[in-house]
Amino acid sequence: MGNRTWTPLHLHDMISNGLHYFEVCNKYSDYVKYSVDHGITSIAVTNHGTVANWVSHKLEAEKAGLKFIDGEEAYVTMSLDDKSRYHTIILAKNYEGVKILNQLSSDSFKPDHFYYKPRITFDELKSAVEEGNIYVTTACLASGLAQSFLNKDDKTHQAWLDLAINNKKNVFLEVQPHNDPEQKAYNKHLVDLAAQYNLHLIASNDIHALDSESDRIRKIIKEGKGSKYDDEDNFELWCKTYDEMFDDFKKQGILSDTQIAESLNFTNVVADSVEEFEID
């Protein structure tokens, strides 16, 4: 496969440690250095529930010669009247997208939105997507599409699926390479949906650590802080090369070689399409 690269578009630095889930031990500068060292030309940050420090992130990335992609792993609720908090990756496509993302993040902390964590509503996300200035990926097993599939919630599942079908150029199905029964079942479902509705698969490793040693430290922090999410400790949530990601997907055994390559390469297509802008 040579020296191919992919662009991680689902990545957490230490700022993700707020909001009751303390575990990330790596600084943003660690990921900037990793990107430069591995020939990755863009860097996205998608911290849980916040876009804090996005300006300093952008300046540091550009100083290192990288394109900065503003992002967040938002918590989305189907209604302010219920308790749902589905994980959703939002990426700014351009400066208008940055402003939209910042507004959504700000709105999520309003008293009527905040429920243990900052939340935006599905309708707010849908309206933002339809403006065409943000990208959305369906994130991890804690996402609306995944949870509604696993729990057989047909109404919620259809709402998320319709969002993707009606916004194919801006909403993508995120596949992850974890060798886990639920992840495998969900990936198979995403592959089927992509084929049926002509949707894009996009690869992610849901990065929470720089490398395996940082991940070991992350798990010690998690245990000390009492942070836990399902079987996540079995996932290898650190930076991996194109070849490592390809091999992990192969071991998982759900995607074909062509689908693996396309989902990894599509991360570069998305990153390349993000418009750069200057801060006044």
Side-chain angles (χ1 to χ4, degrees):
M1 284 180 278
N3 295 319
R4 297 182 188 176
T5 60
W6 69 294
T7 307
L9 296 173
H10 185 163
L11 182 150
H12 302 273
D13 71 5
M14 290 176 68
I15 290 176
S16 260
N17 286 338
L19 304 170
H20 312 288
Y21 196 74
F22 191 100
E23 43 116 32
V24 179
C25 66
N26 291 108
K27 298 177 292 186
Y28 176 68
S29 57
D30 295 334
Y31 296 118
V32 169
K33 184 177 185 304
Y34 176 91
S35 299
V36 172
D37 290 347
H38 288 81
I40 300 168
T41 57
S42 302
I43 185 167
V45 184
T46 56
N47 286 320
H48 288 119
T50 182
V51 291
N53 279 30
W54 78 267
V55 172
S56 61
H57 283 157
K58 174 178 168 63
L59 294 175
E60 185 172 347
E62 291 175 349
K63 185 177 180 180
L66 302 174
K67 177 194 286 186
F68 173 70
I69 302 172
D70 192 25
E72 176 183 341
E73 183 162 11
Y75 299 104
V76 180
T77 181
M78 300 310 292
S79 165
L80 293 177
D81 295 327
D82 69 37
K83 300 176 182 179
S84 58
R85 294 191 302 270
Y86 296 126
H87 294 209
T88 307
I89 297 296
I90 305 175
L91 303 168
K93 187 177 179 179
N94 48 39
Y95 183 54
E96 286 303 311
V98 170
K99 292 190 285 186
I100 289 169
L101 176 54
N102 289 353
Q103 186 63 59
L104 288 172
S105 184
S106 179
D107 290 345
S108 72
F109 284 90
K110 290 179 178 178
D112 64 334
H113 282 55
F114 197 99
Y115 179 76
Y116 289 92
K117 291 179 171 59
R119 305 180 305 167
I120 60 173
T121 69
F122 179 82
D123 286 343
E124 288 167 341
L125 177 68
K126 181 173 177 286
S127 295
V129 168
E130 289 171 349
E131 290 186 37
N133 296 304
I134 62 171
Y135 291 124
V136 166
T137 77
T138 52
C140 54
L141 290 175
S143 69
L145 193 65
Q147 286 296 299
S148 60
F149 164 68
L150 295 169
N151 296 320
K152 297 180 170 56
D153 179 352
D154 293 340
K155 181 180 179 182
T156 300
H157 189 269
Q158 192 61 51
W160 284 96
L161 180 56
D162 286 344
L163 182 70
I165 293 170
N166 295 329
N167 300 277
K168 294 181 181 181
K169 293 182 179 180
N170 296 82
V171 180
F172 315 124
L173 307 182
E174 183 172 329
V175 288
Q176 299 185 4
H178 317 303
N179 199 6
D180 168 83
E182 285 192 343
Q183 185 71 62
K184 290 164 78 170
Y186 180 49
N187 277 8
K188 175 64 167 63
H189 182 56
L190 294 180
V191 167
D192 292 343
L193 292 178
Q196 184 175 354
Y197 298 106
N198 193 29
L199 302 172
H200 284 290
L201 297 174
I202 189 165
S204 151
N205 202 37
D206 194 354
I207 294 169
H208 286 236
L210 180 68
D211 49 32
S212 58
E213 174 61 14
S214 296
D215 194 63
R216 185 184 70 83
I217 297 169
R218 179 182 78 88
K219 288 171 182 172
I220 293 172
I221 295 170
K222 283 181 65 179
E223 185 173 354
K225 292 292 183 179
S227 301
K228 182 172 176 60
Y229 181 77
D230 288 355
D231 296 325
E232 190 180 71
D233 282 354
N234 297 322
F235 298 173
E236 297 183 345
L237 304 178
W238 56 82
C239 295
K240 295 196 172 188
T241 65
Y242 182 105
D243 287 358
E244 288 170 334
M245 288 289 288
F246 197 102
D247 289 345
D248 284 350
F249 275 116
K250 285 278 285 185
K251 291 173 187 174
Q252 188 189 65
I254 301 300
L255 281 69
S256 69
D257 286 8
T258 299
Q259 290 165 337
I260 297 170
E262 288 178 348
S263 67
L264 286 166
N265 293 333
F266 191 61
T267 63
N268 297 327
V269 173
V270 170
D272 290 346
S273 73
V274 170
E275 299 171 19
E276 297 185 80
F277 62 91
E278 293 185 6
I279 296 176
D280 188 343

